[in-house]
Amino acid sequence: MSRYRLTPTPAQEQALAEHCGHTRYVWNLACEQHAHWRPGRKSAPRFAEQCRQLTEARAESEWLRAGSIIVQQQALKVGDVRRLSGNVGAVKIPKVGWVRFRWSRTVPDGVKSYRITRDRAGRRHVAFAAIPEPIPVPGTGEVVGVDRGVAVSAALSTGEMLNAPGLRDPEKARLRRLLRKLARAKRGSNRRGKVKQAIAKLKARESDRRKDWVEKTSTDLARRFDVIAVEDLKIRDMTTSAKGTIGAPGRNVRQKAGLNRSIMAAAWGRLVQRLEHKGPGRVAKVNPAFTSQRCSVCGIVDAKSRESQADFRCRSCGYACNADVNAARNIKLAAGHAVSVREGPRVAGPVHREPQRDLLLVG
């Protein structure tokens, strides 16, 4: 979905907050109805029946009746969208009116619905539902391997080293001060609320930079390469908590929590997700086994060849390289094998066509 920053007036902000309250209330009731269902019981009410029940609830509740039934029944409908100037647009929201937003890029044609959200920093955004066009295949036949890491967010088989941006040093220092203030602030106090809001703004700034980096990096890779090869990592399993249970407490909990935060900060999952959106069928996921221990020149697997986090030196052939780049080249080799198998005999030279998803998946 294409997302834009809303700039509501104070009165519109209050109306949007009421909309959110009504929507949460109706949504929670609907979820409760479905959660109550058990085998053997009558099925939970369908949409039409829930709309009838909503009408009855609105007749009994003045608070609910004050809101928009359109908002409460379904996702907001696009009544109208218009452009006010070069970088300002407006969207019409039921019972709120025209709310301005930043026209940071072209609004997709033919959108039929949108969603209004509020992040932890208190910012409002409007997201128009539209499926973006994929980036055209460059047709060069080039394959690139991408090794995702913590010290280096993404190392390419071309030798490029890419890092997701985070908070700058002064911002990190300010965040530490705010966290200390938060620990001393009394729960429920106005001071604690202000500190939490300041922390949320810093976190939102960090998240915005990370998302911007992912968008630019994924677009660049999709434009330059026919196939983008990545390791088939189970990120959710890798970032599970190590706390354990009371009976069986975990080990190295603090270290594992720090590693989990570093993995999230490197945007491993989001990068691959956006690559798949922009280059459907062109992302090859390969088996991650031994990619960091195998020499990309002679193919020998030796754990001792990785001398440090950054250095790889093959003890068999003497090849030396950055460890992450060597892993990226192994990933490229694994994906390149799948592509060459798909192309068949190269009697008249390779013919590179748009790769198909099912034939690119390896391991």
Side-chain angles (χ1 to χ4, degrees), residues 66-112:
S68 169
I69 192 170
I70 300 175
V71 175
Q72 295 167 14
Q73 281 185 344
Q74 57 189 7
L76 294 176
K77 299 286 186 181
V78 173
D80 201 359
V81 178
R82 63 189 184 189
R83 191 166 190 168
L84 304 180
S85 66
N87 58 358
V88 178
V91 59
K92 191 173 183 180
I93 300 176
K95 290 200 173 184
V96 176
W98 289 97
V99 182
R100 295 190 174 197
F101 65 89
R102 294 181 185 174
W103 197 286
S104 53
R105 57 193 177 282
T106 304
V107 175
D109 295 327
V111 293
K112 298 183 181 299

Side-chain angles (χ1 to χ4, degrees), residues 97 99 101 114 123 130 133 160 271 301 310 352-353 359:
V99 182
F101 65 89
Y114 61 84
R123 302 175 304 178
E133 292 293 328
E160 298 167 73
L271 177 60
V301 177
H352 291 281
R353 295 163 293 179
L359 296 176

Side-chain angles (χ1 to χ4, degrees), residues 32-322:
E32 186 177 339
Q33 287 179 328
H34 285 276
H36 184 69
W37 182 85
R38 294 291 185 278
R41 292 181 182 175
K42 185 180 178 180
S43 62
R46 301 293 183 184
F47 176 72
E49 173 62 18
Q50 287 180 329
C51 287
R52 187 189 65 79
Q53 294 175 0
L54 175 60
T55 301
E56 295 176 353
R58 285 171 57 86
E60 297 176 1
S61 171
E62 182 179 352
W63 171 75
L64 199 59
R65 189 167 58 251
S68 169
I69 192 170
I70 300 175
V71 175
Q72 295 167 14
Q73 281 185 344
Q74 57 189 7
L76 294 176
K77 299 286 186 181
V78 173
D80 201 359
V81 178
R82 63 189 184 189
R83 191 166 190 168
L84 304 180
S85 66
N87 58 358
V88 178
V91 59
K92 191 173 183 180
I93 300 176
K95 290 200 173 184
V96 176
W98 289 97
V99 182
R100 295 190 174 197
F101 65 89
R102 294 181 185 174
W103 197 286
S104 53
R105 57 193 177 282
T106 304
V107 175
D109 295 327
V111 293
K112 298 183 181 299
S113 64
Y114 61 84
R115 181 176 62 188
I116 302 247
T117 58
R118 181 178 184 272
D119 63 17
R120 56 186 174 184
R123 302 175 304 178
R124 294 276 181 186
H125 293 89
V126 57
F128 298 100
I131 301 175
E133 292 293 328
I135 295 175
V137 183
T140 61
E142 292 294 324
V143 179
V144 66
V146 182
D147 178 65
R148 291 166 288 169
V150 172
V152 178
S153 301
L156 308 186
S157 54
T158 58
E160 298 167 73
M161 314 284 277
L162 310 176
N163 279 297
L167 294 177
R168 301 183 181 93
D169 290 340
E171 293 169 330
K172 291 178 181 178
R174 183 165 185 264
L175 178 60
R176 289 193 292 269
R177 290 195 300 270
L178 289 171
L179 290 174
R180 289 195 293 269
K181 285 184 179 180
L182 183 66
R184 296 192 298 266
K186 183 179 179 181
R187 290 186 179 276
S189 65
N190 290 334
R191 179 172 178 264
R192 184 179 178 87
K194 291 180 180 178
V195 173
K196 290 180 69 175
Q197 183 69 10
I199 292 173
K201 288 182 178 180
L202 278 176
K203 291 289 187 179
R205 188 179 304 169
E206 181 182 29
S207 179
D208 287 347
R209 289 173 184 168
R210 187 181 307 128
K211 290 177 181 177
D212 181 67
W213 176 82
V214 167
E215 293 300 322
K216 291 177 178 177
T217 301
S218 57
T219 297
D220 178 62
L221 293 177
R223 286 175 175 170
R224 290 167 55 194
F225 302 100
D226 280 13
V227 179
I228 303 106
V230 298
E231 293 175 302
D232 189 11
L233 300 176
K234 309 301 180 185
I235 299 175
R236 178 170 295 182
D237 296 338
M238 295 173 65
T239 55
T240 53
S241 174
K243 288 184 178 179
T245 62
I246 297 177
R251 301 173 60 184
N252 299 324
V253 177
R254 289 176 63 88
Q255 293 89 332
K256 182 61 167 62
L259 176 61
N260 292 351
R261 286 193 296 269
S262 298
I263 291 175
M264 296 301 183
W268 289 4
R270 189 174 183 85
L271 177 60
V272 173
Q273 181 187 59
R274 295 301 289 145
L275 283 170
E276 291 176 329
H277 291 165
K278 297 175 182 181
R282 297 164 52 197
V283 178
K285 294 184 178 180
V286 306
N287 192 330
F290 307 114
T291 54
S292 63
Q293 301 176 8
R294 176 180 287 110
C295 176
S296 58
V297 174
C298 69
I300 297 296
V301 177
D302 184 358
K304 294 183 179 179
S305 292
R306 184 155 188 171
E307 299 177 340
S308 66
Q309 184 280 325
D311 299 319
F312 181 92
R313 185 179 298 277
C314 180
R315 301 197 304 168
S316 177
C317 69
Y319 172 71
C321 181
N322 178 276

